[in-house]
Amino acid sequence: MTLVAIAFYIMALITVASGFLVITAKNPVHSVLFLILAFFSAAGLFVLLGAEFLAMLLVVVYVGAVAVLFLFVVMMLDVDFSKLRQGFANYLPIGGVVALVLMTELIMISFAVAERGAAAGNEPQAFTADATNIETIGRVLYTDYVYLFQAAGFVLLVAMIGAIVLTLKHRTNVKRQDISTQVGRQRKNAVAIVKVKTGEGIKE
């Protein structure tokens, strides 16, 4: 067994074990830490497959942004997780059915890949040997799949706008700036000249 195979089995075992601990850990902070460990192990698997760009994305985006955000949210919010686990048994049959369906699909895909290969029915595109992994992904992404890439960006933009709209709260006791009213007002409505006698104040 080569060194690459040994590293693959070790990282795969760590990924599966940490993924299992994510859903079984009682402490949510520990769950997020196990999730970060799973991401790092999966990034190592991508490096072994020669996809260093995907490994970098996994570490930078998921570990550096998503998982850290989850960790800070869990640590800062005072969430009573005991109340959330009270209805766990009610959803257990549905969860078991979903898990069984996913397991069946994974087994079918594994057998199909073992028999016909991962790229069955698709002709692999030929690229020059001097092209790096990042350059190859860029060529494919911005030539053959440019419209799908733009569509994915549009979907993310709509999701971001929807999240802002759903979380935006209009408060009635807050003064807001009205640009059109400020620009369109006249001097007679904004300035008042009052003659004040000596020794007397301005009467309201």
Side-chain angles (χ1 to χ4, degrees):
M1 185 178 292
T2 62
L3 184 62
V4 176
I6 295 175
F8 171 79
Y9 284 114
I10 292 176
M11 291 184 182
L13 180 62
I14 294 175
T15 304
V16 175
S18 56
F20 179 75
L21 291 173
V22 168
I23 61 176
T24 57
K26 295 182 179 180
N27 194 335
V29 177
H30 295 168
S31 297
V32 178
L33 294 177
F34 284 126
L35 181 63
I36 294 175
L37 178 61
F39 285 153
F40 271 112
S41 302
L45 294 176
F46 278 127
V47 172
L48 293 178
L49 294 174
E52 64 275 2
F53 181 71
L54 296 179
M56 182 190 68
L57 285 181
L58 191 63
V59 172
V60 172
V61 177
Y62 285 94
V63 176
V66 178
V68 175
L69 179 62
F70 287 166
L71 182 61
F72 276 101
V73 169
V74 169
M75 293 176 64
M76 292 175 62
L77 295 180
D78 188 12
V79 181
D80 190 1
F81 290 94
S82 60
K83 294 182 179 180
L84 297 177
R85 296 192 183 96
Q86 291 179 357
F88 176 76
N90 297 330
Y91 298 101
L92 188 60
I94 301 176
V97 172
V98 174
L100 182 62
V101 172
L102 292 177
M103 182 63 68
T104 305
E105 292 178 353
L106 289 175
I107 293 174
M108 293 173 61
I109 293 173
S110 300
F111 278 111
V113 171
E115 293 178 358
R116 295 177 293 178
N122 297 324
E123 296 181 358
Q125 299 184 9
F127 294 96
T128 58
D130 56 347
T132 61
N133 184 262
I134 299 176
E135 185 178 357
T136 303
I137 293 176
R139 288 180 181 178
V140 175
L141 190 63
Y142 290 103
T143 53
D144 298 336
Y145 301 99
V146 60
Y147 295 111
L148 295 177
F149 181 72
Q150 295 294 333
F154 182 74
V155 170
L156 292 176
L157 176 62
V158 172
M160 182 181 65
I161 295 175
I164 294 174
V165 171
L166 291 176
T167 56
L168 183 62
K169 295 182 180 179
H170 294 281
R171 291 179 292 181
T172 57
N173 57 348
V174 176
K175 293 183 179 180
R176 290 181 174 84
Q177 187 177 12
D178 192 351
I179 304 298
S180 60
T181 303
Q182 293 179 353
V183 174
R185 69 176 183 174
Q186 299 178 359
R187 179 178 177 275
K188 61 181 181 179
N189 299 327
V191 180
I193 300 177
V194 180
K195 295 182 180 181
V196 182
K197 297 181 179 180
T198 305
E200 296 182 0
I202 300 176
K203 298 180 180 179
E204 297 182 355

